[in-house]
């Protein structure tokens, strides 16, 4: 899934900062982030207990169980204090999950709400394949639909809404539109 490692490299949490992966799945990204930012505290939540079992095993194999905390939670309505004992996070990210979350806009809103004052939410997911051959786009969309995955064509408009509300934002089309990447900063005071 293109763009995940790019997202991790752009997190850049402050020294001793906190990083949350929303919909952490197998824990692959959390492990990569823990290795990239050895002084950060990492947290992951997922609604699927099966995914969390897999993530816990991967974190254990990587020897990172003292740095990564996992919890079962709904991306659209979670409380970092209740799940992890922290008020907010310096960085949060959603990697290839908004395409699987029915109320993906609420998940993004919840991620923004969990940010500390200088925090940022990073997002990468399937784009609209706008610069890729039509046959590739058609085949990819058919394959994704088999797994109830849908690229969110409205993501640029949602990012723009956050900009109009006073957030620092960015949006990029990556790899010919295969992936879209967005960042939303905590609202300026």
């Amino acid at each position: 899934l293109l763009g995940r490692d790019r997202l991790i490299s752009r997190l850049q949490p402050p020294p001793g900062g906190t990083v949350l992966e929303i919909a952490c799945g197998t824990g692959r990204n959390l492990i990569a982030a823990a290795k990239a930012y050895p002084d950060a505290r990492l947290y992951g939540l997922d609604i699927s207990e099966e995914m969390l079992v897999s993530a816990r095993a991967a974190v254990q194999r990587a020897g990172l169980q003292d740095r990564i905390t996992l919890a079962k939670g709904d991306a659209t309505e979670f409380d970092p204090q209740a799940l992890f004992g922290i008020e907010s996070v310096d960085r949060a990210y959603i990697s290839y999950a908004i395409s699987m979350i029915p109320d993906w806009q609420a998940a993004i809103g919840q991620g923004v709400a969990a940010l500390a004052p200088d925090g940022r939410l990073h997002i990468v997911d399937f784009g609209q394949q706008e610069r890729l051959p039509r046959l590739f786009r058609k085949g990819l969309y058919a394959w994704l639909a088999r797994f109830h995955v849908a690229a969110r064509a409205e993501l640029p408009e949602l990012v723009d809404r956050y900009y109009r509300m006073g957030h620092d934002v960015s949006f990029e089309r990556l790899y010919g539109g295969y992936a879209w990447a967005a960042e939303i900063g905590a609202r300026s005071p």
Side-chain angles (χ1 to χ4, degrees):
L1 298 174
L2 300 172
R4 294 183 304 175
D5 294 332
R6 177 187 177 277
L7 177 150
I8 292 167
S9 73
R10 293 175 65 106
L11 290 173
Q12 300 295 315
T18 53
V19 177
L20 168 66
E21 182 171 11
I22 300 165
C24 66
T26 65
R28 180 258 187 216
N29 297 326
L30 281 170
I31 292 167
K35 291 176 180 177
Y37 306 105
D39 64 342
R41 293 172 291 144
L42 293 104
Y43 304 90
L45 68 89
D46 204 287
I47 199 165
S48 166
E49 188 59 44
E50 288 179 37
M51 283 292 166
L52 288 170
V53 166
S54 179
R56 285 184 192 106
V59 167
Q60 182 79 24
R61 279 192 307 276
L64 293 167
Q65 61 275 13
D66 294 335
R67 295 202 34 236
I68 299 174
T69 303
L70 301 168
K72 185 172 183 177
D74 185 334
T76 66
E77 54 179 15
F78 64 89
D79 176 2
Q81 183 68 46
L83 290 177
F84 306 112
I86 56 173
E87 186 176 320
S88 60
V89 295
D90 298 302
R91 301 293 182 267
Y93 63 95
I94 308 171
S95 173
Y96 285 93
I98 64 169
S99 54
M100 294 183 280
I101 299 170
D103 193 356
W104 62 276
Q105 294 176 340
I108 291 172
Q110 195 64 33
V112 171
L115 296 175
D118 289 326
R120 292 192 73 74
L121 171 67
H122 298 255
I123 302 162
V124 67
D125 213 309
F126 293 106
Q128 295 299 296
Q129 323 300 309
E130 54 271 23
R131 293 193 176 133
L132 297 173
R134 180 181 294 156
L135 187 58
F136 175 84
R137 182 174 42 231
K138 184 177 177 181
L140 178 63
Y141 283 157
W143 182 79
L144 293 174
R146 294 182 64 197
F147 300 98
H148 309 286
V149 175
R152 304 303 186 186
E154 304 86 0
L155 181 60
E157 289 82 17
L158 180 67
V159 171
D160 187 57
R161 231 180 305 153
Y162 278 97
Y163 173 76
R164 290 192 314 269
M165 292 187 305
H167 295 265
D168 177 35
V169 304
S170 70
F171 178 84
E172 296 178 67
R173 290 169 170 84
L174 308 174
Y175 316 108
Y178 174 86
W180 283 357
E183 294 181 22
I184 303 171
R187 183 180 235 173
S188 303

